[in-house]
Amino acid sequence: MAAVLGLLPIASSFASPTATPANPRLSQEALTAQVDAASLAKYREIVATFDTAIRVHPGDATLALARCQFMQNYSWSEDLHWTEQAQADLGACQHALKDKFGDLPEVALYVLQSTYGKAAIEQGSALEPKAAHWARPDRARLHAALANAYEATQDKRNAGKHAVQAAELSPDTPVLLLAVRHLAATGEKARARQLLMDAPVPKLPWLANARINTAHDVLPGTTARDLLLRMQKAGLKIDPYTSARALLQAGDAAGALRALPEIKPDAPESAQSRALRLTVALAAGDGNAAASAIRSSLEHETNNRWPLAQSYAVLLTIDPRAAMHPAFAVLMLTLLLAGLSIALLPGLLMFPVHYVGTVRARKARPTLAVFEGIGLRHAWYGLAVFCLATWAIPVFMIGQIVPARPGATPDLQELPSRLAIAHVVTLGIVSLLLSGTVRKFGWRQWPGYGEWKVRWFLWPGLLLTIAALSAWVVARHATPGAADSPLWNEILVHGAKQLGGPWFALLMVAVAVPIVEEFVFRGCLLGGLTRHMSFAAANLWQAVIFASVHFDARHFLFFVVFGATTGWLARKTHGLAVPIVIHAINNAIFVTMVLSR
């Protein structure tokens, strides 16, 4: 309206026969001043109309509220030069409105939504007792305003609490996604899903995309895909990358691949989109699509070699012919160098050990090896085989499908089972490659020999008791589905359960893993180290390495203590049977805790 009024003098100026470029009336400042003057005059005219109507109907709260809302439209403008006057008018209008109609819900909520920060929290909290008698939509608006106020002050807990209340009162509340994230973070994922599914379909596609992406990020299973299908059925156009993420999370890799748009020559694509395209192609087993995505990433991302090398490893197992493209030579070299480094690193660790052994021999201070027939080369070989297999097999079977950063949420619903399969293969290959060393080890040293004493088992028993109590506390007080990302060994337990049930999980994690790990770390590593250094140093060294290969910073100290304890038992009993049993009991406690959560 104001713009139309402002254009009338301009039009007449151009129509004037005396109008020339040199005419001062045609300068930008003069024209802008005419627009401002015309719009201000019309603004005042409309305000006067409101004032006249209010004098006739002094008790009409809706009319008084509309007057303030009209002023607010101009008090926030960045284009007009008279916004300060509109702001002054708005302040006076809101003050009068609050004094006269402050008890009415629509007025109280309007004033609250114009307040921010701690002042909004105080004002909104004071309204809560009165709101008990308000209509549901008004109560929802109150809780939504409080949720936004708490969110602005970084109080996530209260923000989420009020957002949930708003969503339960009005499913299409603007703070719906805040409520969903809060419920998911506190373990109430079923309730969060229900809120999303109960909410009316939004009219705007970007709102639908936001809901699907939120479901993907915080809710497991098929919620994101179910929302996607619902939005598509309503006729909304969903972003193809959002569609692909939702379908991939639900396990429909083929559908996710179909959802992605074709790559057009020279078409811009973000690094995140390229990574998604690659993950989808690998999950769908489409070698050509995966190869194309890897080539595209190589062209655009020069500092992303290692994750791409992991993906390339999976491509080698999917489509070896596609993987032989010359552009992938650098990735193949990266894998070869990584594997070589992992295989040689244990050997480098043995050099200082050999030096210590040489010095001790010259000083006539020989050491007593824990196990006969096991030397430093067996220590290197056992550790090299274990580290190389536990790295290479998951990389070639899973690759970049597994998130590379801690805390990331896997996209594939079947990731746990795939990780469990990779672990079974790893255990089998490690056992096969170490079969010769097992024969060298000798069967007599598996059960152990000599006289055992009860007091040797007091500390191990106490350590297992502490582990059991800790697991019980965690299982009892942990919130199911909490925001903390699960450890990989937790995902492994769930994957083993998916493959063969709880008993298979116990068999793999509490039987097979202890046997392999005890032979590698206490049999080969500790046995080899003790030929060249004191038992105390050798035991500490193998315990630290044992803890390091578990990649669990939260429980690193426990792994060190546990590894040192089982190493000490191996020496005392002259065998691996007792360490294996202790290890098996500890892992059984862990499996039971994970499956009971």
Side-chain angles (χ1 to χ4, degrees):
M1 185 185 305
V4 173
L5 290 173
L7 286 174
L8 291 178
I10 299 173
S12 62
S13 297
F14 276 104
S16 172
T18 61
T20 65
N23 191 335
R25 294 182 62 194
L26 295 184
S27 68
Q28 292 298 318
E29 293 79 2
L31 296 176
T32 302
Q34 291 181 56
V35 172
D36 281 340
S39 59
L40 176 58
K42 193 63 180 179
Y43 165 82
R44 287 173 173 168
E45 177 185 335
I46 295 174
V47 170
T49 302
F50 270 116
D51 293 340
T52 301
I54 288 173
R55 283 194 294 271
V56 176
H57 305 283
D60 192 337
T62 303
L63 188 59
L65 179 59
R67 179 175 180 268
C68 293
Q69 290 172 331
F70 172 76
M71 295 175 177
Q72 187 170 335
N73 290 334
Y74 296 93
S75 67
W76 290 352
S77 175
E78 297 180 356
D79 299 325
L80 300 174
H81 293 164
W82 46 271
T83 53
E84 291 184 2
Q85 180 171 339
Q87 291 171 0
D89 292 345
L90 176 62
C93 182
Q94 289 178 338
H95 184 74
L97 182 68
K98 185 177 180 181
D99 286 345
K100 191 170 184 179
F101 303 106
D103 291 334
L104 296 178
E106 59 269 25
V107 172
L109 291 171
Y110 167 73
V111 175
L112 175 61
Q113 289 168 348
S114 301
T115 312
Y116 305 97
K118 293 183 178 179
I121 293 174
E122 294 175 1
Q123 188 173 320
S125 299
L127 290 173
E128 284 193 87
K130 301 177 183 178
H133 306 289
W134 290 2
R136 288 176 64 91
D138 292 330
R139 286 158 54 202
R141 290 175 58 197
L142 171 60
H143 287 295
L146 279 169
N148 288 326
Y150 278 114
E151 180 79 1
T153 60
Q154 303 300 313
D155 188 343
K156 303 293 184 182
R157 178 178 175 276
N158 280 312
K161 174 184 173 183
H162 283 283
V164 170
Q165 291 177 282
E168 290 179 339
L169 290 166
S170 177
D172 60 345
T173 178
V175 294
L176 171 65
L177 298 185
L178 179 59
V180 169
R181 286 192 293 269
H182 173 75
L183 289 174
T186 54
E188 298 185 74
K189 295 191 175 183
R191 191 177 170 196
R193 171 186 165 84
Q194 197 62 45
L195 280 182
L196 275 175
M197 300 307 294
D198 288 346
V201 175
K203 296 181 179 179
L204 300 175
W206 72 267
L207 288 174
N209 279 286
R211 290 189 189 180
I212 296 169
N213 283 320
T214 299
H216 172 274
D217 293 340
V218 302
L219 297 177
T222 62
T223 302
R225 183 198 62 187
D226 295 342
L227 279 175
L228 168 67
L229 297 177
R230 185 183 177 204
M231 302 305 175
Q232 289 177 334
K233 187 177 180 180
L236 292 174
K237 185 177 181 181
I238 306 301
D239 175 72
Y241 293 97
T242 298
S243 302
R245 293 178 78 215
L247 293 169
L248 182 62
Q249 186 186 48
D252 185 4
L257 190 60
R258 290 193 299 270
L260 290 173
E262 293 184 5
I263 303 178
K264 298 179 180 179
D266 301 325
E269 190 175 34
S270 68
Q272 184 179 8
S273 297
R274 284 193 295 270
L276 176 63
R277 186 183 295 279
L278 174 55
T279 302
V280 168
L282 292 175
D286 190 322
N288 290 329
S292 175
I294 293 175
R295 285 198 300 271
S296 177
S297 296
L298 281 172
E299 292 173 1
H300 294 89
E301 302 169 39
T302 58
N303 298 322
N304 199 27
R305 291 290 185 265
W306 177 240
L308 286 178
Q310 292 178 283
S311 298
Y312 175 69
V314 182
L315 177 61
L316 280 169
T317 64
I318 293 175
D319 191 344
R321 177 182 294 181
M324 291 300 108
H325 193 282
F328 301 145
V330 64
L331 299 181
M332 180 177 289
L333 181 62
T334 300
L335 287 176
L336 291 174
L337 290 176
L340 185 62
S341 299
I342 292 173
L344 293 179
L345 182 59
L348 296 177
L349 293 175
M350 301 308 160
F351 275 105
V353 178
H354 184 269
Y355 173 77
V356 170
T358 302
V359 172
R360 290 180 68 94
R362 288 181 177 179
K363 293 183 177 181
R365 294 169 54 194
T367 56
L368 182 62
V370 173
F371 299 115
E372 299 175 4
I374 297 297
L376 204 56
R377 62 188 180 90
H378 302 104
W380 164 75
Y381 180 69
L383 186 58
V385 166
F386 181 86
C387 292
L388 187 60
T390 53
W391 166 77
I393 294 171
V395 164
F396 277 84
M397 293 185 66
I398 304 174
Q400 202 183 4
I401 296 174
V402 177
R405 64 185 189 281
T409 302
D411 276 331
L412 289 181
Q413 193 177 22
E414 68 269 19
L415 173 62
S417 60
R418 296 185 66 172
L419 188 63
I421 293 172
H423 205 71
V424 170
V425 174
T426 300
L427 292 173
I429 291 179
V430 170
S431 301
L432 180 64
L433 293 177
L434 293 181
S435 58
T437 310
V438 170
R439 289 192 296 271
K440 185 73 174 177
F441 189 72
W443 294 108
R444 181 170 177 265
Q445 295 179 121
W446 281 94
Y449 55 88
E451 184 181 352
W452 296 355
K453 298 180 180 180
V454 175
R455 68 173 183 270
W456 295 348
F457 302 93
L458 295 179
W459 165 245
L462 178 61
L463 186 63
L464 290 176
T465 302
I466 294 172
L469 289 175
S470 301
W472 179 79
V473 171
V474 170
R476 182 179 178 86
H477 298 286
T479 304
D484 290 342
S485 297
L487 300 170
W488 285 119
N489 48 15
E490 294 178 5
I491 298 177
L492 176 63
V493 170
H494 288 297
K497 181 184 176 183
Q498 290 179 12
L499 288 179
W503 289 109
F504 181 75
L506 281 169
L507 179 64
M508 184 177 74
V509 180
V511 178
V513 168
I515 293 174
V516 172
E517 289 190 353
E518 289 302 318
F519 180 73
V520 170
F521 291 97
R522 260 61 76 180
C524 296
L525 187 57
L526 180 62
L529 294 179
T530 52
R531 284 194 175 274
H532 297 265
M533 60 198 312
S534 67
F535 174 78
N539 196 34
L540 178 61
W541 199 334
Q542 67 84 19
V544 170
I545 296 174
F546 172 74
S548 300
V549 300
H550 282 79
F551 298 102
D552 184 356
R554 285 186 289 176
H555 302 98
F556 181 83
L557 182 59
F558 173 81
F559 281 121
V560 171
V561 174
F562 185 85
T565 300
T566 52
W568 180 77
L569 284 172
R571 181 195 184 194
K572 288 292 185 181
T573 61
H574 302 286
L576 293 181
V578 172
I580 288 172
V581 170
I582 299 296
H583 200 150
I585 294 173
N586 178 77
N587 284 17
I589 292 171
F590 174 76
V591 172
T592 304
M593 182 269 291
V594 171
L595 295 182
S596 64
R597 291 173 65 174

